[in-house]
Amino acid sequence: MAKVQKIKGFADLFSDEAAKYTFMESCAREVFSRYGFGELRTPILEKTELFQKSIGEDTDVVGKEMFTFPDRKDRSLTMRPEATAGVVRAFIESKLHQPGNISKFFTFGPMFRYERPQKGRQRQFHQIDAEIFGADEPQADAELILMLKAFLNAIGLTKLTIEINSLGCHDCRPAYKQALVDYYHSKDKSNFCEDCRRRMETNPLRVLDCKVPTCKALVEDAPVITDHLCPDCQAHFADVRAVLDGANVDYVLNPRMVRGLDYYVRTCFEVTSNDIGSQTAVAGGGRYDGLVRNLGGPDCPGTGFACGMERLALLLGDVPVDAPDFYLAVVDQEAAVDAMLFAQALRDKGLTGEVSFSGGSMKSRMRAANKSGAKTCLILGGSELANQTVTVKDMVGDREQETLDRKLYLASL
């Protein structure tokens, strides 16, 4: 019978790799809680219209990359391609907005996009996401960047670059979009890729984000958004920078940086690394003040970020993993049942460890104990079974061993 294999772009994460994800999640919980964020878990499946309304129908995500299918009642469902839309939907549906109140959430889990799998990018990937609702002040944007930096430092990543920009607001951005369109029309359209020829009419900012070399060269002299900001957006961006400067955060102003999703306004930012090849962005986010209203909620401002866990995992070395406390070696088959019961008593005491399920030679059992990395090897054989004792061998220090009464040994723990 032919083997059933995993789907292309979907990865199995065994213990060594899974430990990195557990480590990142634990650090996120610890760091984010210091900033007043609470955890929220949203469904993997959402109605397709949620992403069409939030991300934008003209984006590559909605147009090309979503896993969308009808359910048994012919309703269109989509496996979430990003986290923000689902968090916003949950915020609206739970009626959490109260004037003057600020809500802070973080979440993590799998996301899904139909892209060409490559290093640091899978069709099922994982994100850590944080969102703030109810705060239109620039200090909220700055706090997110400070928290993101604190999290990345907590997992041991320091060789990163923070890039920031302002995308303007719904008042000043239309004039900038028109300036971009005028610039594109001054060029030979045939020199742009097919996607950018479409984008320059439907979503002109996205042309700036194209990775095709010819398109990148063509937009080098394009107008920049920072020359078109209204006074309010200029002041907002200046206050974000003032907090970052006061906190001694190194950052780069990148006036050509845009975000790939339609809902961003004003502050946007990315964290990049040069250590994982061409896919340099490991985290990014920004402000989306109109998104809650566009999805049927109140006129409530929002700002947030997401981290790509696969890319962060590429930058992490081996994460710290606690060694097991014991390995219980059975060297006489008759002691196997006693060994299982004794191991359970050790675990009831809060210790961690394994027990061999059957008897074997002392040499093979010591080999297994060494492989387990346990701090202590406990040995049960015929003699220990008869005398209700256990032989204890230190695997870390002096490697001496002694035989002790089992009950006394348990009582000493």
Coordinates of all heavy atoms in Angstrom, one line a residue, residues 162-206:
I162 N 15.1 47.6 13.0 CA 13.7 48.1 13.1 C 13.6 49.2 12.1 O 14.3 50.2 12.1 CB 13.4 48.6 14.5 CG1 13.5 47.4 15.5 CG2 12.0 49.1 14.5 CD1 13.4 47.9 17.0
E163 N 12.6 49.0 11.1 CA 12.3 50.0 10.1 C 11.0 50.6 10.4 O 10.0 49.8 10.7 CB 12.4 49.4 8.7 CG 13.8 48.9 8.4 CD 13.8 48.3 6.9 OE1 12.8 48.5 6.2 OE2 14.8 47.7 6.6
I164 N 10.8 51.9 10.3 CA 9.5 52.5 10.6 C 9.2 53.5 9.4 O 10.0 54.0 8.8 CB 9.4 53.2 11.9 CG1 10.4 54.4 12.0 CG2 9.8 52.3 13.1 CD1 10.2 55.3 13.2
N165 N 7.9 53.7 9.3 CA 7.4 54.7 8.3 C 6.0 55.1 8.7 O 5.4 54.5 9.6 CB 7.3 54.0 6.9 CG 7.1 55.0 5.8 OD1 7.3 56.2 5.9 ND2 6.5 54.5 4.7
S166 N 5.5 56.1 8.1 CA 4.1 56.5 8.2 C 3.4 56.4 6.9 O 3.9 56.9 5.9 CB 3.9 57.9 8.7 OG 2.5 58.3 8.8
L167 N 2.2 55.8 6.8 CA 1.5 55.6 5.6 C 0.4 56.7 5.4 O -0.4 56.6 4.5 CB 0.8 54.2 5.5 CG 1.8 53.0 5.5 CD1 1.1 51.7 5.6 CD2 2.7 53.1 4.3
G168 N 0.4 57.7 6.3 CA -0.6 58.7 6.2 C -2.0 58.2 6.6 O -2.1 57.1 7.1
C169 N -3.0 59.0 6.4 CA -4.3 58.7 6.8 C -5.3 58.8 5.6 O -4.9 59.0 4.5 CB -4.8 59.6 8.0 SG -5.0 61.3 7.5
H170 N -6.6 58.6 5.9 CA -7.5 58.6 4.8 C -7.7 60.0 4.2 O -8.3 60.1 3.1 CB -8.9 58.0 5.3 CG -8.8 56.6 5.8 ND1 -8.4 55.6 5.0 CD2 -9.0 56.1 7.0 CE1 -8.4 54.4 5.7 NE2 -8.8 54.7 6.9
D171 N -7.2 61.0 4.9 CA -7.3 62.4 4.4 C -6.1 62.7 3.4 O -6.3 63.3 2.4 CB -7.3 63.4 5.5 CG -8.6 63.3 6.3 OD1 -9.7 62.9 5.7 OD2 -8.6 63.6 7.5
C172 N -4.9 62.3 3.8 CA -3.7 62.7 3.1 C -3.3 61.6 2.1 O -2.5 61.9 1.1 CB -2.6 63.1 4.0 SG -2.0 61.8 5.1
R173 N -3.7 60.4 2.3 CA -3.1 59.3 1.4 C -3.7 59.4 0.0 O -3.0 59.0 -1.0 CB -3.4 57.9 2.0 CG -2.5 56.9 1.4 CD -2.2 55.7 2.3 NE -3.4 55.0 2.6 CZ -3.4 54.0 3.4 NH1 -2.3 53.6 4.1 NH2 -4.5 53.3 3.7
P174 N -4.9 59.8 -0.3 CA -5.4 59.8 -1.6 C -4.5 60.7 -2.5 O -4.3 60.3 -3.7 CB -6.8 60.4 -1.5 CG -7.3 60.0 -0.2 CD -6.0 60.1 0.7
A175 N -4.1 61.8 -2.1 CA -3.2 62.7 -2.9 C -1.9 62.0 -3.2 O -1.3 62.1 -4.3 CB -2.9 64.0 -2.2
Y176 N -1.4 61.2 -2.2 CA -0.1 60.5 -2.4 C -0.3 59.4 -3.4 O 0.5 59.2 -4.3 CB 0.4 59.9 -1.1 CG 1.6 59.0 -1.3 CD1 2.8 59.5 -1.9 CD2 1.6 57.7 -0.9 CE1 3.9 58.7 -2.1 CE2 2.7 56.9 -1.1 CZ 3.8 57.4 -1.7 OH 4.9 56.6 -1.9
K177 N -1.5 58.7 -3.3 CA -1.8 57.6 -4.3 C -1.8 58.2 -5.7 O -1.3 57.6 -6.7 CB -3.1 56.9 -4.0 CG -3.0 56.0 -2.8 CD -4.4 55.3 -2.7 CE -4.3 54.2 -1.6 NZ -5.6 53.5 -1.5
Q178 N -2.4 59.4 -5.9 CA -2.5 60.0 -7.2 C -1.1 60.4 -7.7 O -0.8 60.2 -8.9 CB -3.4 61.2 -7.1 CG -3.7 61.8 -8.5 CD -4.3 60.8 -9.5 OE1 -5.3 60.2 -9.1 NE2 -3.7 60.6 -10.6
A179 N -0.3 60.8 -6.8 CA 1.1 61.2 -7.2 C 1.8 59.9 -7.7 O 2.6 60.0 -8.6 CB 1.8 61.8 -6.0
L180 N 1.6 58.8 -7.0 CA 2.2 57.5 -7.4 C 1.7 57.1 -8.8 O 2.5 56.7 -9.7 CB 1.9 56.4 -6.4 CG 2.7 56.4 -5.1 CD1 2.3 55.2 -4.2 CD2 4.2 56.3 -5.4
V181 N 0.4 57.2 -9.0 CA -0.2 56.8 -10.3 C 0.4 57.7 -11.4 O 0.7 57.2 -12.5 CB -1.7 56.9 -10.2 CG1 -2.3 56.7 -11.6 CG2 -2.3 55.9 -9.3
D182 N 0.5 59.0 -11.1 CA 1.0 59.9 -12.2 C 2.5 59.5 -12.5 O 2.9 59.5 -13.6 CB 1.0 61.3 -11.7 CG -0.4 61.8 -11.6 OD1 -1.3 61.2 -12.2 OD2 -0.6 62.8 -10.9
Y183 N 3.2 59.1 -11.4 CA 4.6 58.7 -11.7 C 4.7 57.4 -12.5 O 5.5 57.3 -13.4 CB 5.3 58.5 -10.3 CG 6.7 57.9 -10.4 CD1 7.8 58.8 -10.7 CD2 6.9 56.6 -10.2 CE1 9.1 58.2 -10.8 CE2 8.2 56.0 -10.3 CZ 9.3 56.9 -10.6 OH 10.5 56.3 -10.7
Y184 N 3.8 56.4 -12.1 CA 3.9 55.2 -12.9 C 3.5 55.4 -14.3 O 4.1 54.8 -15.2 CB 2.9 54.2 -12.3 CG 3.1 53.8 -10.8 CD1 2.1 53.5 -10.0 CD2 4.4 53.8 -10.3 CE1 2.3 53.1 -8.7 CE2 4.7 53.4 -9.0 CZ 3.6 53.1 -8.2 OH 3.8 52.8 -6.9
H185 N 2.5 56.3 -14.6 CA 2.1 56.5 -16.0 C 3.2 57.2 -16.8 O 3.2 57.2 -18.0 CB 0.8 57.3 -16.0 CG -0.4 56.5 -15.6 ND1 -1.6 57.1 -15.4 CD2 -0.5 55.2 -15.3 CE1 -2.5 56.1 -15.0 NE2 -1.8 55.0 -15.0
S186 N 4.1 57.9 -16.1 CA 5.2 58.5 -16.8 C 6.3 57.5 -17.3 O 7.2 57.9 -18.0 CB 5.9 59.6 -15.9 OG 6.7 59.0 -14.8
K187 N 6.2 56.3 -16.8 CA 7.1 55.2 -17.2 C 6.5 54.3 -18.3 O 5.3 54.3 -18.5 CB 7.5 54.4 -16.0 CG 8.1 55.2 -14.8 CD 9.4 55.8 -15.2 CE 10.0 56.6 -14.0 NZ 11.3 57.2 -14.4
D188 N 7.3 53.5 -18.9 CA 6.8 52.6 -19.8 C 6.2 51.4 -19.1 O 6.9 50.6 -18.4 CB 8.0 52.1 -20.7 CG 7.5 51.1 -21.8 OD1 6.3 50.7 -21.8 OD2 8.3 50.9 -22.7
K189 N 4.9 51.2 -19.1 CA 4.2 50.2 -18.3 C 4.7 48.8 -18.6 O 4.6 47.9 -17.8 CB 2.7 50.3 -18.6 CG 2.0 51.6 -18.0 CD 0.5 51.6 -18.2 CE -0.2 50.5 -17.5 NZ -1.6 50.6 -17.5
S190 N 5.2 48.6 -19.9 CA 5.6 47.2 -20.2 C 6.8 46.8 -19.4 O 7.1 45.6 -19.4 CB 5.9 47.2 -21.7 OG 7.0 48.0 -22.0
N191 N 7.5 47.8 -18.8 CA 8.7 47.4 -18.0 C 8.3 46.9 -16.6 O 9.2 46.4 -15.9 CB 9.6 48.6 -17.9 CG 10.3 48.9 -19.2 OD1 10.6 48.0 -20.0 ND2 10.5 50.2 -19.4
F192 N 7.0 47.1 -16.2 CA 6.6 46.6 -14.9 C 6.1 45.1 -15.1 O 5.7 44.7 -16.2 CB 5.4 47.4 -14.4 CG 5.8 48.8 -13.9 CD1 5.8 49.9 -14.8 CD2 6.2 49.0 -12.6 CE1 6.2 51.2 -14.3 CE2 6.5 50.3 -12.1 CZ 6.5 51.3 -13.0
C193 N 6.2 44.4 -14.0 CA 5.7 43.0 -14.0 C 4.1 43.1 -14.2 O 3.5 44.1 -14.0 CB 6.1 42.2 -12.8 SG 5.2 42.7 -11.3
E194 N 3.6 41.9 -14.5 CA 2.1 41.8 -14.7 C 1.3 42.3 -13.5 O 0.3 43.0 -13.6 CB 1.7 40.4 -15.2 CG 0.3 40.3 -15.5 CD -0.1 38.8 -15.9 OE1 0.8 38.0 -16.1 OE2 -1.3 38.5 -16.0
D195 N 1.8 41.8 -12.3 CA 1.1 42.1 -11.1 C 1.1 43.6 -10.9 O 0.1 44.2 -10.5 CB 1.7 41.4 -9.9 CG 1.3 40.0 -9.8 OD1 0.3 39.6 -10.4 OD2 2.1 39.2 -9.2
C196 N 2.3 44.3 -11.1 CA 2.4 45.7 -10.8 C 1.6 46.5 -11.8 O 1.1 47.6 -11.5 CB 3.8 46.1 -10.8 SG 4.7 45.7 -9.2
R197 N 1.4 46.1 -13.1 CA 0.6 46.8 -14.0 C -0.8 46.8 -13.5 O -1.6 47.8 -13.8 CB 0.7 46.1 -15.4 CG 2.1 46.3 -16.1 CD 2.0 46.0 -17.6 NE 1.7 44.6 -17.9 CZ 2.7 43.7 -18.0 NH1 4.0 44.1 -17.9 NH2 2.4 42.5 -18.3
R198 N -1.2 45.8 -12.9 CA -2.6 45.7 -12.3 C -2.6 46.6 -11.0 O -3.6 47.4 -10.8 CB -3.0 44.3 -12.0 CG -4.3 44.1 -11.2 CD -4.6 42.7 -10.9 NE -3.5 41.9 -10.4 CZ -3.2 42.0 -9.1 NH1 -4.0 42.7 -8.2 NH2 -2.2 41.2 -8.6
R199 N -1.6 46.4 -10.2 CA -1.6 47.1 -8.9 C -1.6 48.7 -9.0 O -2.2 49.4 -8.2 CB -0.4 46.7 -8.1 CG -0.4 45.3 -7.5 CD 0.9 44.9 -7.0 NE 1.0 43.6 -6.5 CZ 2.1 42.9 -6.4 NH1 3.2 43.4 -6.9 NH2 2.1 41.6 -5.9
M200 N -0.9 49.2 -10.1 CA -0.8 50.6 -10.2 C -2.1 51.3 -10.4 O -2.2 52.5 -10.1 CB 0.2 51.0 -11.3 CG -0.2 50.6 -12.7 SD 1.0 51.2 -14.0 CE 2.5 50.4 -13.5
E201 N -3.1 50.5 -10.7 CA -4.5 51.1 -10.9 C -5.4 50.8 -9.7 O -6.2 51.6 -9.2 CB -5.2 50.6 -12.1 CG -4.4 50.8 -13.4 CD -4.1 52.3 -13.7 OE1 -4.9 53.1 -13.2 OE2 -3.2 52.5 -14.4
T202 N -5.2 49.6 -9.1 CA -6.0 49.1 -8.0 C -5.5 49.4 -6.6 O -6.2 49.6 -5.7 CB -6.3 47.6 -8.1 OG1 -5.1 46.9 -8.1 CG2 -7.0 47.3 -9.5
N203 N -4.1 49.3 -6.5 CA -3.5 49.4 -5.2 C -2.1 50.0 -5.4 O -1.1 49.2 -5.2 CB -3.5 48.1 -4.5 CG -3.2 48.2 -3.0 OD1 -2.8 49.2 -2.5 ND2 -3.4 47.1 -2.3
P204 N -1.9 51.2 -5.7 CA -0.6 51.8 -6.2 C 0.5 51.7 -5.1 O 1.7 51.5 -5.5 CB -0.9 53.2 -6.5 CG -2.2 53.5 -6.0 CD -3.0 52.3 -5.9
L205 N 0.1 51.7 -3.8 CA 1.2 51.5 -2.8 C 1.9 50.2 -2.9 O 3.1 50.1 -2.6 CB 0.6 51.8 -1.4 CG 0.6 53.2 -0.9 CD1 -0.4 54.1 -1.6 CD2 0.4 53.2 0.6
R206 N 1.2 49.2 -3.3 CA 1.7 47.8 -3.3 C 2.8 47.7 -4.4 O 3.7 46.8 -4.3 CB 0.6 46.8 -3.6 CG -0.4 46.6 -2.5 CD 0.2 45.8 -1.3 NE 0.3 44.4 -1.6 CZ 1.5 43.7 -1.6 NH1 2.6 44.3 -1.4 NH2 1.4 42.5 -1.9

